[in-house]
C-alpha cells in the first residue's frame, strides 16, 4: 500500500496531517509552499508522484480564502505532475454555510467552492461533518462524508455520566437530527432550544421544547462553533431552566469573532471539540477538551486507497 499512496499536507493543519500519516505508517509527502511578496502562493512538489494515489490534506478553515486557494494550487501541481488519482482530504469545508439562496441576489458560494475543486482536477473528496449533508451533491465527483459523532460519544461515555440525569439538547430546530443520533447512542432525554435568528450574527434563544432540564446534565451538540453565539445562548437557556451541569460539543472549532470570550463567560463545565481545525494558543480555553479525528481520517484514506467500503465509518 505504502509504495503508491502519497499523503501531502498544505499549511492549514500540518499537525493533524502528521497524525494521520503516523496512523497509516507513512511519512508525509515532500512539498514546498511559500508566499510571494504580493501575496501569491508558490508551490513545488519535492518528490515524484507520477502514477501515485495522492491524498491532499487541507481543511479550508480560517483564513478560508488562503487555504482554499492553496488547496487548488496543490491540486493543479499534482495533476500536472501526472498523479494517478487526487483525493482532497478536507476535514472542515469552508463556505459550507453559504449553501442556498436565503435572500435575493446572493451567491451559493458552497457550490462555487465545490466547482473550483472539481475544475482544478480533484478526482474525489473526503470530508467530515458538512454543515448540510446535501453539499455532497455540489461536487460532480465521489464524496466520502464522515461524522465525528461516534468519537464525541465515546468521550462522553468515558465520563460515566449518570444515565438518569442525562439530557441531550439541540441548540436549535435545525440540529434535531444530530441530537437524536447522540441520544440513540448515549441515552437520556431530548430537549430542543427554540432559536430565532435576527441577523447573520445575532440569534435569540428563549424557550425549551421537550423534556425539562431541572437537575439534569445537559449535553449540547452542534456541527461547528463559529462565533459561539448560538451554542452559548442555548447554554444560557439550559442554565436558566435548572441544568446542574452543561457540556457543549462540536465537530469543528472555528472559534472566530467573540467566540473565546463568549465561551469563557458561558455557564459551561466543558467544551468538547475535535482537532479538525488547528486551535491557537489564544483560543485554548481552560475547560477545552480536544479529541483527535486522525484515526477516523486515516482509516478512511486507507480504505479508499484499497477500494474498500468506508460506509461503516459514516455512523
Amino acid at each position: 500500500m505504502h509504495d503508491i499512496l502519497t499523503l501531502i499536507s498544505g499549511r492549514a493543519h500540518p499537525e493533524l496531517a502528521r497524525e494521520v500519516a503516523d496512523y497509516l505508517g507513512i511519512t508525509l509527502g515532500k512539498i514546498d509552499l511559500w508566499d510571494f511578496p504580493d501575496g501569491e502562493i508558490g508551490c513545488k512538489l519535492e518528490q515524484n508522484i507520477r502514477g501515485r494515489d495522492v491524498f491532499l490534506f487541507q481543511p479550508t478553515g480560517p483564513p478560508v480564502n488562503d487555504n482554499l486557494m492553496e488547496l487548488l494550487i496543490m491540486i493543479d501541481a499534482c495533476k500536472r505532475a501526472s498523479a494517478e488519482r487526487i483525493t482532497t482530504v478536507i476535514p472542515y469545508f469552508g463556505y459550507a454555510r453559504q449553501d442556498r439562496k436565503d435572500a435575493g441576489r446572493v451567491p451559493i458560494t458552497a457550490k462555487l467552492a465545490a466547482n473550483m475543486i472539481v475544475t482544478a482536477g480533484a478526482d474525489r473528496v473526503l470530508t467530515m461533518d458538512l454543515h448540510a449533508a446535501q453539499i455532497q451533491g455540489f461536487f460532480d465527483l465521489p464524496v466520502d462524508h464522515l461524522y465525528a459523532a461516534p468519537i464525541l460519544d465515546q468521550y462522553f461515555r468515558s465520563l460515566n455520566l449518570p444515565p438518569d440525569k442525562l439530557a441531550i439538547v439541540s441548540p436549535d430546530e435545525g440540529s434535531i437530527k444530530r441530537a437524536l443520533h447522540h441520544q440513540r447512542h448515549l441515552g437520556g432525554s431530548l430537549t430542543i432550544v427554540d432559536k430565532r435568528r435576527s441577523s447573520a450574527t445575532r440569534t435569540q434563544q428563549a424557550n425549551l421544547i421537550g423534556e425539562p432540564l431541572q437537575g439534569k446534565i445537559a449535553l449540547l451538540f452542534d456541527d461547528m462553533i463559529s462565533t459561539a453565539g448560538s451554542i452559548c445562548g442555548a447554554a444560557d437557556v439550559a442554565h436558566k431552566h435548572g441544568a446542574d451541569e452543561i457540556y457543549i460539543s462540536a465537530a469543528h472549532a472555528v472559534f472566530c469573532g467573540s467566540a473565546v470570550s463568549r465561551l469563557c463567560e458561558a455557564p459551561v463545565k466543558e467544551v468538547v471539540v475535535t482537532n479538525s481545525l488547528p486551535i491557537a494558543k489564544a483560543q485554548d480555553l481552560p475547560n477545552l477538551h480536544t479529541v483527535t479525528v486522525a484515526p477516523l481520517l486515516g482509516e478512511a484514506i486507507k480504505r479508499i486507497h484499497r477500494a474498500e467500503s468506508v460506509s461503516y465509518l459514516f455512523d
Side-chain angles (χ1 to χ4, degrees):
M1 177 182 91
H2 303 148
D3 291 338
I4 58 173
L5 186 154
T6 302
L7 178 65
I8 298 174
S9 175
R11 293 178 291 179
H13 200 354
E15 296 84 4
L16 179 55
R18 281 191 286 269
E19 282 191 51
V20 173
D22 290 342
Y23 178 87
L24 292 169
I26 62 176
T27 57
L28 285 175
K30 297 178 181 179
I31 188 170
D32 188 15
L33 292 159
W34 68 92
D35 295 320
F36 288 101
D38 62 356
E40 292 181 3
I41 296 170
C43 172
K44 182 181 180 183
L45 295 164
E46 299 287 357
Q47 68 177 77
N48 176 30
I49 62 166
R50 184 179 296 272
R52 286 178 172 263
D53 192 9
V54 175
F55 291 80
L56 293 177
F57 194 97
Q58 180 87 331
T60 53
V64 178
N65 296 332
D66 290 347
N67 289 330
L68 176 59
M69 191 65 201
E70 186 169 280
L71 174 62
L72 299 176
I73 290 170
M74 289 193 298
I75 295 171
D76 188 70
C78 291
K79 183 179 179 181
R80 296 178 188 279
S82 301
E84 179 68 22
R85 183 176 65 172
I86 303 169
T87 300
T88 56
V89 183
I90 312 174
Y92 170 80
F93 179 65
Y95 284 112
R97 283 171 290 182
Q98 298 186 47
D99 62 338
R100 64 196 182 282
K101 290 192 68 173
D102 54 1
R105 300 179 297 281
V106 298
I108 304 178
T109 318
K111 172 59 176 170
L112 174 62
N115 285 346
M116 289 192 292
I117 290 170
V118 174
T119 302
D123 298 298
R124 193 177 195 97
V125 171
L126 173 61
T127 189
M128 189 182 81
D129 282 281
L130 290 168
H131 184 64
Q134 58 266 29
I135 292 175
Q136 297 173 75
F138 290 2
F139 293 91
D140 296 323
L141 44 73
V143 176
D144 291 299
H145 184 207
L146 306 177
Y147 295 93
I151 298 172
L152 296 171
D153 289 344
Q154 183 180 9
Y155 172 73
F156 283 111
R157 280 193 294 268
S158 73
L159 298 180
N160 295 315
L161 302 174
D164 58 320
K165 295 190 66 176
L166 203 60
I168 308 301
V169 181
S170 174
D172 53 47
E173 293 86 344
S175 299
I176 295 175
K177 186 175 180 181
R178 180 179 298 105
L180 285 169
H181 173 92
H182 289 288
Q183 186 195 28
R184 283 196 303 270
H185 291 82
L186 294 174
S189 59
L190 178 66
T191 303
I192 303 159
V193 177
D194 180 24
K195 181 182 82 171
R196 308 295 170 89
R197 182 172 289 280
S198 56
S199 71
T201 57
R202 297 186 62 186
T203 59
Q204 182 177 0
Q205 297 85 3
N207 304 312
L208 292 181
I209 303 169
E211 297 293 327
L213 293 179
Q214 185 69 39
K216 296 283 190 175
I217 300 173
L219 308 184
L220 283 71
F221 291 97
D222 212 342
D223 63 319
M224 70 176 74
I225 299 175
S226 183
T227 61
S230 295
I231 198 80
C232 288
D236 286 337
V237 172
H239 180 68
K240 290 175 183 177
H241 282 77
D244 282 349
E245 293 181 357
I246 301 170
Y247 295 79
I248 63 177
S249 180
H252 306 300
V254 182
F255 289 178
C256 59
S258 303
V260 172
S261 60
R262 283 173 173 161
L263 291 168
C264 287
E265 296 169 1
V268 172
K269 182 172 183 179
E270 199 167 52
V271 180
V272 183
V273 297
T274 79
N275 61 342
S276 65
L277 288 168
I279 297 174
K281 287 185 178 180
Q283 301 170 329
D284 195 2
L285 306 165
N287 61 342
L288 181 69
H289 181 84
T290 305
V291 295
T292 183
V293 292
L296 177 69
L297 294 169
E299 185 64 25
I301 289 171
K302 181 169 66 175
R303 287 175 168 268
I304 290 169
H305 175 63
R306 292 176 171 175
E308 297 174 352
S309 172
V310 298
S311 61
Y312 89 100
L313 296 172
F314 292 177
D315 188 8

